[in-house]
Amino acid sequence: MIIKTTKAIPSHEITDEHVFKARRTLIKSLFAATLVGNSQSLLAQTNSARWQRLTQSDLSAKTLTPTPAQLVKEYTNYYEFSYNKEDSTKLAQALTVDPWSIEISGEVEQPGKFYLEDILSKQTLEERIYRFRCVEAWSMVVPWVGFPLVNLLNMAKPLSSANFVKFTTTQQPDAMPNLRSEAILQWPYIEGLRIDEATHPLTILAVGMYGDTLPKQNGAPLRLIVPWKYGFKSAKAIVKIELLKKAPLTSWNRSAPDEYGFYANVNPRIPHPRWSQNSERLLGSGFFTSRRQTELFNGYGDQVAGLYNDMDLRHFF
Ligand code: MTE
């Protein structure tokens, strides 16, 4: 049975009704109040040893040029709506993203339902400019706005028996036409991480991009971003997080285990069975989209290679 924590008391029970009804506005104002303007101030803020190492890398805006926002907003993969990128962008506008809560359960001391505005009121939002590499061999550079996933996990107090984290995303049958068919994927869309991957400082929950709240088609109101893994790991519109002893079965891995692994770390040396992963189309780079050499761990090897041993390397895909 889920025991509600104080933090899990629904906001409508503790928030003035007028404020409660203006939830989206409230979230926007929290967003504005807590956003750290750029990655320089983000780096200046932090003093953990792991973050210190990041200052040596190219995570700052200085070396990564964001892909034009319009392109990121229009070229989306959101299969609950459509397998066509333009259609999923249009159809996703029917999604209801307010109110929003996330249920956290499993191997935690304090399971419960956490309302988005309560979560955000405790966060300092940061801008993270990350490379984003899709398994389809295209890539983008996106200035996400969010906070480390570990901050939310800690609100539920994970137990030492938590080895994996499972993410379940929203199902809204009236808005999502593809939920009627399970020919390609089974619903809901599920993803998972090992606990050390989930608590790594590079792993964030994004609530915005390009300095504004997240568009519906890009995963509003809150999505996972794991920059060293193929994009399908970065689940959109998360409603449930379970901390587990064993690895969860994830959507793409279940649907095509020979093509999509649980780890899905970006690796140019391991081709997809139907195409090479050696290079990628960097969207929006100049008049013509250019190709760039794909990097192991999408270029984040300095930060994450230490998470994996030889045994894991065999499961890279
Ligand atoms: N999350 C959900 N719920 N449904 C999806 O279809 N697609 C994934 C991932 N998260 C997907 C999802 C895939 S395949 C990719 S590449 C990225 O979202 C795309 O994110 P973007 O559309 O914001 O570029």
Side-chain angles (χ1 to χ4, degrees), residues 64-311:
L64 287 177
T65 307
T67 303
Q70 201 59 19
L71 209 53
V72 179
K73 290 177 188 170
E74 287 174 1
Y75 195 83
T76 65
N77 277 345
Y78 210 157
Y79 302 121
E80 291 89 328
F81 293 97
S82 172
Y83 289 98
N84 171 288
K85 292 182 168 51
E86 277 174 30
D87 290 348
S88 62
T89 299
K90 283 186 206 132
L91 291 167
Q93 304 317 310
L95 197 66
T96 302
V97 298
D98 175 23
W100 199 268
S101 61
I102 300 178
E103 188 191 320
I104 307 184
S105 61
E107 304 298 310
V108 292
E109 217 178 291
Q110 294 189 352
K113 195 171 184 178
F114 297 83
Y115 277 82
L116 183 57
E117 60 269 42
D118 297 336
I119 298 168
L120 289 185
S121 68
K122 294 176 181 63
Q123 306 304 322
T124 299
L125 297 180
E126 307 165 355
E127 182 171 74
R128 299 274 184 100
I129 301 174
Y130 283 162
R131 274 185 290 275
F132 188 78
R133 169 62 156 87
C134 179
V135 76
E136 297 165 342
W138 52 261
S139 67
M140 302 171 169
V141 172
V142 186
W144 303 106
V145 177
F147 59 92
L149 168 65
V150 66
N151 292 4
L152 177 59
L153 300 182
N154 282 343
M155 287 170 82
K157 298 198 176 11
L159 297 169
S160 57
S161 51
N163 298 321
F164 291 90
V165 186
K166 174 179 173 184
F167 303 89
T168 302
T169 70
T170 192
Q171 291 189 90
Q172 298 183 17
D174 290 344
M176 298 171 154
N178 274 355
L179 295 190
R180 286 180 222 126
S181 160
E182 297 202 321
I184 298 177
L185 281 176
Q186 292 186 4
W187 313 109
Y189 191 98
I190 287 169
E191 259 313 330
L193 294 172
R194 231 167 47 185
I195 193 79
D196 56 345
E197 298 173 327
T199 54
H200 190 280
L202 280 185
T203 304
I204 60 166
L205 285 170
V207 290
M209 62 184 212
Y210 295 90
D212 203 348
T213 47
L214 212 53
K216 290 182 176 180
Q217 66 272 24
N218 294 103
L222 163 136
R223 75 176 296 177
L224 185 63
I225 295 295
V226 196
W228 70 96
K229 294 179 179 281
Y230 290 116
F232 69 85
K233 298 294 292 180
S234 294
K236 296 175 175 181
I238 294 164
V239 289
K240 197 167 157 191
I241 296 179
E242 292 159 89
L243 287 93
L244 303 172
K245 288 180 181 159
K246 293 194 176 147
L249 191 54
T250 53
S251 289
W252 280 106
N253 187 219
R254 175 183 193 162
S255 148
D258 297 341
E259 303 194 359
Y260 309 105
F262 175 82
Y263 280 92
N265 291 317
V266 174
N267 188 342
R269 294 196 291 266
I270 300 185
H272 184 278
R274 289 180 279 133
W275 59 85
S276 164
Q277 295 291 21
N278 197 40
S279 66
E280 64 207 45
R281 274 187 311 129
L282 179 59
L283 299 184
S285 47
F287 186 71
F288 297 105
T289 295
S290 67
R291 286 203 87 81
R292 74 184 285 274
Q293 175 65 43
T294 292
E295 294 176 71
L296 182 61
F297 298 114
N298 205 18
Y300 299 102
D302 284 354
Q303 291 81 41
V304 301
L307 296 178
Y308 306 101
N309 58 32
D310 291 348
M311 184 71 166

